[in-house]
Amino acid sequence: MTPSSALPVLLVTGGGRGIGAATARLAAQRGYAVAVNYAHNALAAEALVAEIRAQGGQAVALQADVADEAQVLRLFAAVDAQLGPLRGLVNNAGVVDVPARVDSMDAARLQRMFSTNVVGPFLCAREAVRRMGSQGVRNFGPGYGLGGAIVNVSSAASRLGSPGQYVDYAAAKGAIDTMTIGLAKEVAAEGIRVNAVRPGLIETDIHASGGLPDRVRDLSATVPLQRGGTALEVAQAIVWLLGPEASYTTGALVDVSGGR
């Protein structure tokens, strides 16, 4: 196995399935050592890691719920110990709920939505900046403080609003858009780029978890390209934003939504 110090280290939260798994797989093919974070589905994450390793890549599966600060700290410490200095973060972990109007949402739903979809990415971005930024060498040692890239996975819902279904989810992703723009300006001088992708209707199982397994098929006619997208199509945008080809891109919100 290639030594961790020879590869740029990437953490993908919610990396065991969907867009996260496609991103981890593609990033490994492009030469990253990948930490695949998962909250509950260890089997999916371990299977992905085994697949990456079988193809000659380097990957580890690490459990943590990003909504819990103590678990986030444990997650980043594990990345430090098992792979080395972090150079990339993909804030992908997220949840949806069953379709509902705002006037039927309770506080428990809202707290879960914002804890995972907003607080979690903030905590992960904080820990990434601490390692990538100018104080990284002093705080963590050689190899740290060399800059890096953060890509937040937002959603086209942040500009569409998702009325009658997921206004809370859309609002959480709107917060991610704003965080992306502000953080990008805050850390640019330290060599850290921060961007977001905003997927549209993508064929993943997140729709089933929200009670709408046929959502992409049902809404595909509303997409100018007349189809749903794939997780790989989103992953390709994410990996581009992580890499040197996007070296002059920061604070960008990149729509991967088929024109919707």
Side-chain angles (χ1 to χ4, degrees):
M1 182 179 292
T2 304
S4 60
S5 60
L7 300 176
V9 175
L10 173 67
L11 168 61
V12 181
T13 68
R17 63 178 190 171
I19 291 169
T23 300
R25 187 179 292 112
L26 182 61
Q29 292 169 0
R30 300 284 176 84
Y32 289 87
V34 183
V36 178
N37 159 253
Y38 67 94
H40 306 293
N41 194 339
L43 289 177
E46 292 289 358
L48 176 60
V49 166
E51 176 189 336
I52 290 171
R53 290 175 175 173
Q55 295 176 357
Q58 185 173 0
V60 295
L62 299 173
Q63 190 280 329
D65 181 345
V66 299
D68 184 309
E69 184 173 21
Q71 293 188 45
V72 169
L73 292 173
R74 186 188 73 208
L75 169 63
F76 277 79
V79 174
D80 293 336
Q82 296 186 40
L83 293 177
L86 188 71
R87 297 303 304 275
L89 166 67
V90 178
N91 265 323
N92 171 73
V95 295
V96 295
D97 211 319
V98 296
R101 284 169 49 103
V102 170
D103 55 10
S104 68
M105 295 178 184
D106 60 19
R109 170 178 170 138
L110 296 173
Q111 287 167 350
R112 171 176 176 266
M113 189 67 61
F114 284 86
S115 291
T116 300
N117 293 347
V118 181
V119 176
F122 262 88
L123 293 173
C124 290
R126 182 193 72 190
E127 291 306 307
V129 168
R130 287 176 173 177
R131 288 160 171 77
M132 299 174 184
S134 56
Q135 299 302 311
V137 173
R138 186 175 71 182
N139 296 332
F140 295 95
Y144 291 86
L146 300 178
I150 297 171
V151 179
N152 297 318
V153 179
S154 178
S155 172
S158 69
R159 54 183 172 76
L160 298 173
S162 297
Q165 292 188 325
Y166 311 122
V167 172
D168 53 344
Y169 176 81
K173 293 303 186 179
I176 292 301
D177 289 355
T178 302
M179 185 262 270
T180 298
I181 295 167
L183 183 61
K185 294 175 180 178
E186 193 168 275
V187 299
E190 297 180 51
I192 304 171
R193 296 183 300 103
V194 186
N195 295 287
V197 294
R198 298 195 295 195
L201 291 167
I202 307 298
E203 295 279 6
T204 72
D205 58 5
I206 195 171
H207 303 290
S209 70
L212 294 174
D214 299 322
R215 186 167 184 261
V216 175
R217 185 193 66 190
D218 293 344
L219 294 177
S220 61
T222 69
V223 180
L225 286 182
Q226 297 291 294
R227 66 173 178 86
T230 67
L232 177 58
E233 288 174 309
V234 182
Q236 288 168 331
I238 293 171
V239 174
W240 177 75
L241 287 169
L242 288 169
E245 297 88 354
S247 58
Y248 199 55
T249 302
T250 196
L253 307 176
V254 180
D255 288 326
V256 186
S257 61
R260 185 166 182 260

